[in-house]
Amino acid sequence: FLPQPLTAAIVGCPFSGGQRRTGVDQGPIRLVEAGLVEQLKGLGWNVVFDGHHQFEEYNNLDDAPIGIMKNPRTVSQVNRSVAGVVMNHAKNGMLPVTLGGDHSLAMGTISGSLAVHPDACVIWIDAHADINTIETTDSGNMHGMPLSFLLGIGDKIQEFDWIKPVLKPERLVYIGLRDLDAGEKRLLREHNIKAFSMHEVDKYGIGKVVEMALDYVNPKRDLPIHLSFDVDALDPSVAPSTGTPVRGGLTFREGHYICEAIHETGLLVSLDLMEVNPSLAEAADADKTVAVGCSLVRAALGETLL
Ligand SMILES: N[C@@H](CSCCS(N)(=O)=O)C(=O)O
Ligand SMILES: [Mn+2]
Ligand SMILES: [Mn+2]
Ligand SMILES: [Mn+2]
């Protein structure tokens, strides 16, 4: 799906409006400062990076909650902008590498990817399902909601009418789940959405889990892949500096295996690396989380151990 030579377009999205902890907007800045652009060039990629996207034009919106959803208009407008950016890079045959920022940004990245690759499957690596609707969310934090909009689940909300239900349930698969709200568990069952929780990772091992996940969403290995990686899928001992850490997560190797295996398919067309918040931990732990983030991106873009 991608022309040679391969070009990665870094989409730096310093955005934190989908949740309430300060600092996740610094994630993209720290990932680039850690040398990610040079590291990808070292792997042989052409890399386009035209600076972090500024979202200041949305700061002064009068953005009262809708239901209990916080910053709804800002989240919507930022994501509409991100969708256009990701779509344009994909249209130009590039691989968008979107650096968050909180996971509400997936409303934009997946809208953008699927506008160019409508048959793409989505592999969602996360401790959380991020599928709450306006009716099921307990927090009002929109980083816990992106997939409900992309799947067209829940009441239509006028401020989000630009998001089309482009993602079919059978094209979504989760790996790493271990912290779902009751409403999310119900939605996964009702919509028959495939999920490999940490229980399945323990039971089958990550190699088998990735194979089963791909067999489910991409049985003939002929569909483009959008990989959306939330660093909180990793165990907090591996990626401590993130907004909603949950114990019992993926090891460093399990996280990297997922990225390596997806690279090996040759089907990756878009990547999100989300929820790195360098302000939540001691400097050493923040640096460690940033370094792990860079390492996962390299693995997804072809870095191998041998
Ligand atoms: N389910 C909870 C937590 S959602 C955590 C969002 S993320 N993107 O995975 O960090 C909620 O809806 O607030
Ligand atoms: Mn750009
Ligand atoms: Mn997430
Ligand atoms: Mn998460």
Side-chain angles (χ1 to χ4, degrees):
F1 301 99
L2 297 176
Q4 306 296 337
L6 292 168
T7 301
I10 306 290
V11 183
C13 293
F15 181 64
S16 62
Q19 50 85 67
R20 269 169 278 184
R21 304 183 81 158
T22 56
V24 69
D25 54 310
Q26 293 304 306
I29 291 143
R30 291 285 296 276
L31 287 159
V32 170
E33 277 175 357
L36 183 61
V37 172
E38 295 71 26
Q39 292 165 20
L40 297 182
K41 287 180 176 171
L43 292 175
W45 286 80
N46 293 327
V47 181
V48 161
F49 175 53
D50 46 14
H52 295 290
H53 292 275
Q54 307 306 321
F55 302 117
E56 73 278 344
E57 64 268 36
Y58 309 118
N59 280 342
N60 55 7
L61 286 170
D62 172 16
D63 202 359
I66 299 174
I68 65 166
M69 298 190 311
K70 306 279 183 304
N71 314 319
R73 296 162 195 80
T74 307
V75 170
S76 179
Q77 293 307 316
V78 163
N79 273 289
R80 190 168 196 171
S81 156
V82 168
V85 167
V86 167
M87 181 181 72
N88 287 332
H89 287 317
K91 216 180 268 178
N92 293 329
M94 300 183 190
L95 194 164
V97 176
T98 304
L99 307 176
D102 72 67
H103 222 163
S104 68
L105 289 163
M107 291 178 196
T109 64
I110 293 173
S111 295
S113 294
L114 270 58
V116 177
H117 305 284
D119 283 343
C121 59
V122 172
I123 302 180
W124 194 280
I125 314 302
D126 206 322
H128 310 94
D130 295 1
I131 197 171
N132 275 308
T133 67
I134 189 169
E135 295 88 7
T136 67
T137 180
D138 296 326
S139 67
N141 295 330
M142 295 204 73
H143 72 160
M145 304 177 73
L147 283 165
S148 71
F149 290 85
L150 293 160
L151 289 160
I153 295 172
D155 285 356
K156 299 294 157 271
I157 301 164
Q158 195 256 327
E159 287 78 358
F160 291 84
D161 63 3
W162 66 270
I163 307 180
K164 303 308 173 199
V166 291
L167 180 59
K168 293 188 282 294
E170 59 271 20
R171 289 282 167 83
L172 169 63
V173 65
Y174 291 103
I175 300 176
L177 297 189
R178 56 188 185 277
D179 181 16
L180 270 60
D181 301 325
E184 294 182 302
K185 291 180 178 178
R186 190 181 70 249
L187 287 168
L188 293 194
R189 278 197 304 276
E190 280 171 3
H191 295 272
N192 195 25
I193 292 171
K194 191 77 172 172
F196 294 92
S197 73
M198 290 308 299
H199 179 83
E200 282 71 40
V201 172
D202 295 337
K203 179 175 183 178
Y204 298 111
I206 196 65
K208 186 69 184 151
V209 162
V210 173
E211 185 187 344
M212 292 189 285
L214 287 169
D215 286 349
Y216 183 78
V217 289
N218 209 333
K220 291 188 278 187
R221 304 293 190 275
D222 61 349
L223 300 177
I225 296 172
H226 179 115
L227 175 61
S228 200
F229 202 118
D230 183 329
V231 293
D232 71 32
L234 299 169
D235 190 80
S237 64
V238 178
S241 212
T242 189
T244 48
V246 185
R247 59 188 173 182
L250 297 170
T251 64
F252 179 94
R253 275 302 312 155
E254 287 168 339
H256 283 76
Y257 179 83
I258 294 167
C259 295
E260 291 157 6
I262 286 174
H263 171 75
E264 278 177 346
T265 67
L267 299 168
L268 184 67
V269 293
S270 196
L271 172 63
D272 310 329
L273 195 277
M274 313 309 267
E275 298 284 355
V276 171
N277 183 335
S279 74
L280 289 181
E282 292 307 308
D285 276 350
D287 291 344
K288 173 167 140 179
T289 307
V290 168
V292 167
C294 287
S295 182
L296 289 166
V297 172
R298 295 198 306 270
L301 268 62
E303 185 174 72
T304 55
L305 299 182
L306 294 178

